[in-house]
Amino acid sequence: MDQHKKLVYTVKELCRVCYTCVRECPAKAIKIVNGQAEVIADRCIGCGNCIKVCSQDAKVFILSRLEVKQLLQSGQKVVAMVAPSFPAEFSEVKDYRKFVGMVRALGFSHVFEVGFGADLVASAYKKLLNEKTGNGYISSDCPAIVSYIRYYHPDLVKHLAPIVSPMVAMLRVVKQMLGNDVKVVFIGPCIAKKAESAEVDEVLTFRELRGMLEHAGIDSQSVTASDFDPPRAGRGAIFPVSRGLIQTVNILDDIVEGNVLVAEGRIGFQEAIKEFESGNLQSQNLELLCCEGCIMGPGMTAGGKRFERRTYVSSYVQHKLQPQQRKQWEAHFNEFANINLTQSFSPNDRRMPLPSEEQVNKVLASMGKFSPRDHLNCGACGYDTCLEHAIAIVEGLAEVEMCLPYTIEELHDSIKDLAISNETLAKVQQALKHSEKLAHMGQLSAGIAHELNNPLGVVLMYSNILLDECATTDPLRQDLELISAQAERCKKIVSGLLNFARKNQVKLEEIDLKKLAEDSLASVVKPDNIKTGVICRGSNLKANLDYEQMMQVLTNLNKNAIEAMPNGGILVVEVEGNDTEVAFSVKDTGVGIPEENMDKLYTPFFTTKGIGKGTGLGLATTYGIVKMHKGRIEVESNTDSHKGQTGTVFRIILPRDSMEADS
Ligand code: ADP
Ligand code: MG
């Protein structure tokens, strides 16, 4: 009865990563791969829990309808054996004989009740338990439990009651009556039955039977009522609502002595096995059922209520207790009392070796769990504890992402990272827009400057010629001097514009940055209330730059800094260098630059200084020169004294050699 066929599958498209099946699988036979649940055939005990709990219907079991159809069409004699839980499934068929008629209509030659097999098996249990061997027995009628013990508690296999299940008992009755050639199809609420016994030809679930009936257009109205073929079930028919076989005997006969512990459902049966294994239960017998009674099996139509189902079975059993029925049953029971019901079990250890502590700790650490305090044991992953989850990861059954608290934290971090890169992106976009704007202006400025340069040269030249020719006492001389001076001023503006438009040449030579900084400070007029200084960082403070142009840059920045400190302050020029770049930072403790002006700083003629005071060309020129050196300008400013010292830093970063740098 080893399972070679895969009983349960996942429909990948429907699986929504809730890990409920992981939680509900007593065999830990669910593997999560890329967030998708996969059933490991080798570990699966076929209990069908995962099918019952999956809200997305993403778990399906193997279907046998085609095989059964083929059997029925093969011309061989095929009999159906119906599990005693059928009244709970086909409750809408008020007369059970109509139900039997429906099954017959599919083409089965006989329809038997497995309940009679349960009668035989119950009596075998009665004998076994009365032998008082001191060996606590575990019931072996639930095939999922049998597999569970063989795979995961192989040391307990010797406790499995050496008795066949009601299904196999009934099959042997049928074969004794009809011969070995007869084909047998079991119909019931169970998926594990599909792999229980090679003696049964096919196993259908009630769900599949419904499908077949529907497909064949068979309903209770279209068939004639007929009873099950004898031998019919007696008290064994109550088996699916009693709490197991041994109890069936107990309830009805009150003969079995000693204690029987009943545990059903995935939590109950596992706990009972653990306690049994630890030896606490002494010689108690265990009656274990994977589902909460067979009436709750995964092969039943989903959604049925447990207690309602119980009533359907109970009321069906009522008619079995009539004296006439009872007599008939006794005769049959005696007829088949000698049938061989023994069965032996062998261990089939499928436990995985426990991973080393080191491996587990490594996995735990990868989920941010470094100490016991980090073990939330929240169960969101489907495992009861973080440790179990980590072991499953090492065993290749689970993934780190299944840890919800960890994944949420990771997500938060990613969102933060995303926000940061978004911000950076926005800044870069802004800067790009800005430099595009400046480039356009540069083109315009270059055009204007170029056109003005020649006429301006002429004005300058002729006003100077006139000045030369003018006598020192000539009253016109003053006017001529004014013309010449203003033309000179225009020329400076034009030159500034040309710088901004990067239309000037760069004459590179090796320059000592410290000296350059000191020269620049010396060239500006400083009021007494302003202190100045040069700070140097790094050892290699030499670079290939255009001295004149750099002087212009630093002088402009120094002037601006001084003008921003009307009440005095500190002006520092910092010089630094690394392998590839050098930088000047001009820092002041002035009024700062308001946020709304930041975008306009390098625009030609932007000034906040009164008419005649500022030209608005200082930073435009600076910008052009820095660009000609393939460098960049950064500015940071604070205008709010509540946020600390107000002031501004202009930082100019230049390649050591602009000839070699990429622009
Ligand atoms: P100008 O100095 O002729 O006004 P600039 O191009 O040098 O032109 O500067 C443009 C504007 O940038 C200035 O008017 C001023 O508003 C602002 N600015 C430049 N540097 C500073 C600074 N260090 N502190 C405060 N504001 C500054
Ligand atoms: Mg200026």
Side-chain angles (χ1 to χ4, degrees):
M1 75 137 100
D2 292 328
Q3 288 166 14
H4 295 300
K5 52 182 169 184
K6 195 164 182 170
L7 292 177
V8 184
Y9 293 87
T10 301
V11 187
K12 284 221 161 98
E13 303 72 52
L14 297 179
C15 177
R16 296 274 301 275
V17 206
C18 65
Y19 310 133
T20 309
C21 54
V22 175
R23 187 171 306 119
E24 295 287 332
C25 177
K28 292 291 168 245
I30 309 251
K31 180 177 176 177
I32 302 289
V33 185
N34 297 327
Q36 297 276 329
E38 230 173 65
V39 181
I40 309 167
D42 244 17
R43 296 184 62 80
C44 177
I45 57 168
C47 68
N49 253 328
C50 56
I51 298 177
K52 287 191 276 186
V53 298
C54 182
S55 63
Q56 305 299 309
D57 291 329
K59 291 276 182 302
V60 289
F61 55 82
I62 185 173
L63 297 178
S64 318
R65 292 202 308 232
L66 270 183
E67 288 79 354
V68 172
K69 235 183 217 162
Q70 276 165 5
L71 262 188
L72 289 169
Q73 288 165 355
S74 67
Q76 304 174 83
K77 190 179 273 182
V78 186
V79 309
M81 302 196 313
V82 179
S85 46
F86 81 88
E89 171 69 31
F90 289 91
S91 56
E92 78 279 9
V93 184
K94 296 297 169 227
D95 180 354
Y96 77 90
R97 287 169 310 171
K98 280 279 192 184
F99 166 73
V100 178
M102 287 159 71
V103 179
R104 274 190 216 288
L106 280 173
F108 289 101
S109 67
H110 298 73
V111 183
F112 293 106
E113 257 186 297
V114 171
F116 183 74
D119 286 327
L120 296 174
V121 169
S123 122
Y125 268 91
K126 191 160 72 183
K127 265 191 221 136
L128 181 76
L129 300 190
N130 278 339
E131 279 168 12
K132 293 205 179 111
T133 55
N135 181 18
Y137 282 109
I138 300 173
S139 60
S140 58
D141 42 304
C142 172
I145 294 284
V146 170
S147 294
Y148 184 79
I149 288 178
R150 293 183 62 217
Y151 298 172
Y152 305 115
H153 295 271
D155 298 341
L156 296 183
V157 165
K158 57 179 183 285
H159 291 274
L160 281 170
I163 299 174
V164 295
S165 70
M167 173 183 81
V168 174
M170 194 60 202
L171 173 123
R172 292 185 182 170
V173 168
V174 168
K175 294 227 159 155
Q176 182 166 316
M177 288 192 305
L178 304 176
N180 275 333
D181 291 342
V182 68
K183 297 291 172 193
V184 179
V185 176
F186 171 82
I187 307 172
C190 184
I191 292 169
K193 284 279 185 213
K194 285 180 186 275
E196 179 189 324
S197 166
E199 290 178 61
V200 181
D201 294 291
E202 292 297 338
V203 172
L204 277 183
T205 59
F206 285 136
R207 285 203 216 182
E208 289 168 272
L209 175 64
R210 266 191 192 281
M212 286 181 75
L213 289 168
E214 241 163 63
H215 195 250
I218 299 169
D219 59 24
S220 57
Q221 266 124 50
S222 63
V223 298
T224 40
S226 74
D227 209 331
F228 282 107
D229 288 291
R232 294 183 197 113
R235 299 151 171 194
I238 198 78
F239 165 62
V241 301
S242 70
R243 304 183 72 200
L245 261 179
I246 311 176
Q247 262 219 340
T248 305
V249 184
N250 252 341
I251 293 167
L252 302 170
D253 273 9
D254 207 20
I255 285 175
V256 174
E257 288 177 27
N259 290 320
V260 177
L261 283 176
V262 183
E264 39 178 38
R266 74 155 176 113
I267 296 175
F269 89 72
Q270 288 187 90
E271 274 175 6
I273 288 176
K274 258 191 212 140
E275 286 192 39
F276 188 88
E277 199 163 41
S278 69
N280 290 345
L281 307 181
Q282 306 284 340
S283 58
Q284 300 246 20
N285 300 298
L286 282 191
E287 175 79 56
L288 302 180
L289 291 174
C290 226
C291 303
E292 287 166 316
C294 296
I295 49 168
M296 298 310 283
M300 304 278 291
T301 299
K305 300 276 177 297
R306 185 174 172 200
F307 292 100
E308 195 183 329
R309 284 180 171 175
R310 290 177 75 108
T311 20
Y312 292 130
V313 176
S314 311
S315 53
Y316 169 70
V317 177
Q318 287 300 315
H319 87 282
K320 304 273 185 193
L321 304 175
Q322 291 157 12
Q324 199 194 339
Q325 295 262 356
R326 171 91 187 154
K327 236 189 184 151
Q328 219 177 45
W329 174 83
E330 255 165 34
H332 282 134
F333 185 83
N334 291 333
E335 187 185 340
F336 294 103
N338 290 329
I339 249 174
N340 177 14
L341 298 179
T342 57
Q343 146 157 254
S344 61
F345 299 98
S346 56
N348 184 352
D349 196 346
R350 294 189 182 178
R351 290 172 297 185
M352 290 200 214
L354 266 188
S356 72
E357 209 178 311
E358 193 192 332
Q359 282 173 302
V360 174
N361 285 341
K362 209 167 135 193
V363 166
L364 283 168
S366 74
M367 293 190 283
K369 299 178 202 307
F370 300 98
S371 73
R373 273 178 60 97
D374 299 327
H375 290 221
L376 301 180
N377 298 332
C378 69
C381 57
Y383 292 88
D384 287 341
T385 61
C386 297
L387 188 65
E388 278 177 47
H389 181 199
I391 291 173
I393 292 175
V394 178
E395 287 170 341
L397 297 179
E399 294 175 334
V400 169
E401 292 72 29
M402 292 162 71
C403 178
L404 212 57
Y406 169 74
T407 305
I408 290 174
E409 214 174 288
E410 286 278 281
L411 269 181
H412 278 304
D413 287 349
S414 313
I415 289 172
K416 249 188 245 160
D417 287 349
L418 262 184
I420 291 171
S421 33
N422 253 342
E423 208 176 302
T424 322
L425 194 68
K427 270 190 195 153
V428 171
Q429 264 176 339
Q430 184 76 19
L432 193 67
K433 247 166 90 185
H434 195 206
S435 61
E436 260 176 18
K437 193 179 98 182
L438 292 177
H440 281 137
M441 279 188 184
Q443 270 177 341
L444 183 71
S445 314
I448 296 171
H450 191 77
E451 291 303 318
L452 283 183
N453 228 1
N454 288 341
L456 209 56
V458 175
V459 171
L460 206 57
M461 189 170 77
Y462 280 92
S463 58
N464 282 332
I465 291 174
L466 283 178
L467 255 179
D468 280 351
E469 288 173 357
C470 218
T472 38
T473 51
D474 195 324
L476 280 177
R477 195 174 172 87
Q478 235 178 345
D479 295 351
L480 282 173
E481 272 170 358
L482 196 62
I483 292 173
S484 169
Q486 291 302 313
E488 197 64 56
R489 196 174 145 218
C490 284
K491 215 172 152 57
K492 271 195 185 140
I493 292 176
V494 165
S495 156
L497 280 179
L498 283 173
N499 268 334
F500 169 69
R502 307 188 218 172
K503 289 292 177 194
N504 283 331
Q505 296 291 318
V506 180
K507 272 184 277 164
L508 296 182
E509 56 187 316
E510 196 184 72
I511 287 176
D512 181 346
L513 303 181
K514 185 173 176 241
K515 184 169 178 305
L516 179 71
E518 284 165 356
D519 290 354
S520 77
L521 279 177
S523 74
V524 290
V525 183
K526 294 171 296 263
D528 290 344
N529 57 2
I530 290 180
K531 292 206 169 14
T532 62
V534 173
I535 296 177
C536 296
R537 293 183 208 283
S539 51
N540 182 5
L541 296 179
K542 291 215 164 74
N544 276 339
L545 304 170
D546 183 315
Y547 180 85
E548 284 302 326
Q549 290 183 3
M550 274 307 137
M551 265 299 273
Q552 218 177 330
V553 164
L554 286 179
T555 314
N556 283 340
L557 295 178
N558 291 344
K559 273 191 193 156
N560 282 347
I562 290 166
E563 281 159 9
M565 301 187 283
N567 301 322
I570 302 167
L571 163 60
V572 173
V573 181
E574 244 178 62
V575 187
E576 57 195 312
N578 64 19
D579 283 351
T580 54
E581 291 177 328
V582 292
F584 296 101
S585 300
V586 178
K587 295 185 182 177
D588 66 55
T589 54
V591 293
I593 304 170
E595 187 60 42
E596 66 267 23
N597 286 350
M598 283 292 190
D599 265 3
K600 305 173 206 154
L601 291 179
Y602 310 110
T603 310
F605 308 113
F606 169 74
T607 177
T608 55
K609 296 162 194 170
I611 298 169
K613 281 190 181 157
T615 58
L617 271 177
L619 286 178
T621 306
T622 299
Y623 179 86
I625 293 174
V626 170
K627 287 287 156 184
M628 281 189 277
H629 281 80
K630 294 176 185 164
R632 58 188 192 276
I633 310 182
E634 289 169 1
V635 56
E636 255 178 78
S637 193
N638 177 26
T639 52
D640 185 353
S641 59
H642 292 295
K643 290 185 190 161
Q645 167 85 62
T646 64
T648 305
V649 185
F650 276 93
R651 199 168 135 84
I652 312 263
I653 301 127
L654 302 165
R656 277 198 177 279
D657 192 336
S658 60
M659 295 295 279
E660 287 166 18
D662 299 328
S663 51

